[in-house]
Amino acid sequence: MITINTRVRPAVGPDATQMVRLLNQVIADGGTTAHETPYTVERMRADYIAPPNLISCHVAITNGRLSGFQLLKNDDRDGWAIIATFVALDRAKMGIGQKLFSATRFAAKAAGVQTIDATIRADNIGGLKYYGGLGFADYDVFKDIPLKDGTPVDRIRKRFDL
Amino acid sequence: MKQPRAWQRMLSGRRLDLLDPTPMDIEVEDIAHGLAFVARWNGQTIGDYAYSVAEHSLLVTDIFSAQNPNAPIKWQLAALLHDAPEYVIGDMISPVKAAVGPSYGELDDRLTAAIHIRFGLPAQIPVAVKKQIKAADKISAWLEAVQIAGFSAVEADKFFGKIDPNLAKSLHIRLRPPVDVRNDFTLKHHELMAKL
């Protein structure tokens, strides 16, 4: 029997390489993630591991390999923070997202965050289900925000109140 | 193959994973207790008590606050916690750190991030603030070197940089029983958290 062992800890500089690989696989898969262009290690460090408005960025390690990561950063709105989550394509539905959110929620509370915002593409069914399952509730929609190729897609805005 | 144990049971009862530390397993009481018993300079200091990392952290916080009077409370807290990972990985003197290489730094970074998140600080603090804390850290090291570790002022200047002579005269390295230091560290932490 294969045991799945997932641990979650804060991301540090050297994690960038594996995070880029994971995110670029998700992008290349043509999925419905917020990003459309491949990432570089430098950009990963600047946007996810150490952005100026960082609260936390956690990585999940499943059987020794990076299987997901989740960012929480301060928003311009007072008391609000923004969340972003990525899980490896071959590690979906294994509870990795739940483990990441339990760490992120703890970080949010410690940092005094009141509300977490998740803004998701309307065609990202997995993402909508994931946040909905965690208790995020719809509060707004950005209508017809075009993708790089011009296709209009709504963005569903969900909130989680701590 | 069974993986070797990579966690330690802390006095609070928390089981802290050393390689993948999570903020949820961090308690200030464990940090204060641990740091009050970790000796700087490998214990090669004069006197009847070790100069602990907890005592050093309190001094660095004072120096940092004096040098940056307008610094927000959160960065004072970051100064107090600047060596907090040492409650898990011990105080490794600089020459040993250099010999061990970058993996030590990564372990330290993971713990730092987890500790920061635990207390509501950003996982990574701005480089400018890091530099200010490092400057206070060097002043403390200079004072310790000269007052209790047997360095001459000239040697200390070479290793830690020259410091303001007035500052050198005004600050004294205290040697106290660990329990006093532990309590002061915990108190300072609570004070700063309450003001955040």
Side-chain angles (χ1 to χ4, degrees):
Chain A
M1 197 183 95
I2 301 166
T3 326
I4 303 287
N5 173 19
T6 297
R7 289 185 302 205
V8 170
R9 63 161 168 81
V12 290
D15 293 320
T17 315
Q18 284 198 70
M19 290 163 76
V20 165
R21 193 176 306 140
L22 187 157
L23 179 54
N24 286 349
Q25 277 167 359
V26 173
I27 295 171
D29 188 55
T32 49
T33 188
H35 296 293
E36 294 179 68
T37 47
Y39 250 69
T40 60
V41 167
E42 292 71 33
R43 206 173 141 211
M44 185 59 77
R45 290 211 174 110
D47 289 0
Y48 283 88
I49 298 177
N53 48 0
L54 174 70
I55 296 170
S56 66
C57 181
H58 284 97
V59 291
I61 311 290
T62 302
N63 294 357
R65 190 167 67 87
L66 193 136
S67 54
F69 61 95
Q70 187 164 61
L71 172 76
L72 186 73
K73 61 179 183 180
N74 282 305
D75 189 25
D76 297 337
R77 293 168 288 182
D78 207 28
W80 284 68
I82 295 171
I83 194 169
T85 313
F86 304 94
V87 172
L89 297 169
D90 60 348
R91 294 289 189 196
K93 300 196 178 100
M94 290 184 185
I96 289 164
Q98 267 76 14
K99 283 200 171 175
L100 281 167
F101 188 65
S102 120
T104 297
R105 188 180 167 161
F106 183 89
K109 273 202 172 157
V113 172
Q114 282 145 22
T115 309
I116 301 174
D117 169 286
T119 299
I120 314 141
R121 277 168 60 169
D123 55 351
N124 181 354
I125 307 299
L128 290 168
K129 262 193 182 164
Y130 166 64
Y131 289 114
L134 295 173
F136 280 69
D138 291 9
Y139 76 95
D140 198 5
V141 180
F142 287 146
K143 294 296 279 181
D144 297 336
I145 309 290
L147 302 176
K148 283 252 155 51
D149 68 2
T151 317
V153 178
D154 290 353
R155 304 291 193 277
I156 312 286
R157 311 194 80 193
K158 288 176 173 286
R159 63 184 285 166
F160 184 94
D161 294 290
L162 288 144
Chain B
M1 198 184 83
K2 206 174 163 233
Q3 293 232 324
R5 177 173 73 97
W7 51 267
Q8 180 179 13
R9 189 174 302 283
M10 299 299 172
L11 278 181
S12 64
R14 295 275 182 191
R15 219 174 79 158
L16 187 71
D17 189 311
L18 311 185
L19 301 177
D20 296 320
T22 69
M24 287 167 259
D25 292 323
I26 290 162
E27 299 291 351
V28 71
E29 289 76 12
D30 291 332
I31 295 176
H33 184 84
L35 294 186
F37 282 90
V38 174
R40 280 173 57 84
W41 305 91
N42 281 348
Q44 297 293 318
T45 49
I46 57 162
D48 293 338
Y49 294 107
Y51 190 69
S52 69
V53 175
E55 189 77 272
H56 160 79
S57 302
L58 286 164
L59 180 59
V60 168
T61 310
D62 286 347
I63 298 170
F64 173 82
S65 306
Q67 295 207 311
N68 307 281
N70 299 320
I73 299 290
K74 60 181 176 177
W75 303 144
Q76 293 182 37
L77 183 61
L80 184 69
L81 297 170
H82 80 282
D83 276 341
E86 296 182 7
Y87 90 111
V88 179
I89 50 180
D91 177 69
M92 204 180 277
I93 62 167
S94 306
V96 180
K97 265 185 211 170
V100 171
S103 53
Y104 176 86
E106 190 181 336
L107 204 57
D108 191 279
D109 287 347
R110 288 182 185 184
L111 283 159
T112 300
I115 291 164
H116 282 177
I117 292 170
R118 168 66 180 85
F119 299 117
L121 296 173
Q124 316 267 342
I125 64 170
V127 176
V129 178
K130 255 190 200 172
K131 282 187 179 157
Q132 290 168 340
I133 296 174
K134 189 73 205 164
D137 195 21
K138 280 191 168 177
I139 291 171
S140 177
W142 191 98
L143 294 164
E144 294 164 39
V146 172
Q147 294 184 20
I148 55 170
F151 284 60
S152 69
V154 177
E155 280 175 318
D157 284 352
K158 202 170 96 191
F159 293 121
F160 310 110
K162 278 192 197 321
I163 71 166
D164 176 354
N166 291 328
L167 195 67
K169 274 185 213 140
S170 68
L171 293 168
H172 295 285
I173 297 299
R174 280 183 296 196
L175 295 171
R176 299 187 287 165
V179 65
D180 294 353
V181 186
R182 178 188 71 195
N183 294 345
D184 271 8
F185 186 98
T186 312
L187 191 66
K188 183 78 184 173
H189 184 269
H190 286 326
E191 274 173 21
L192 292 174
M193 289 293 286
K195 285 194 229 157
L196 269 183

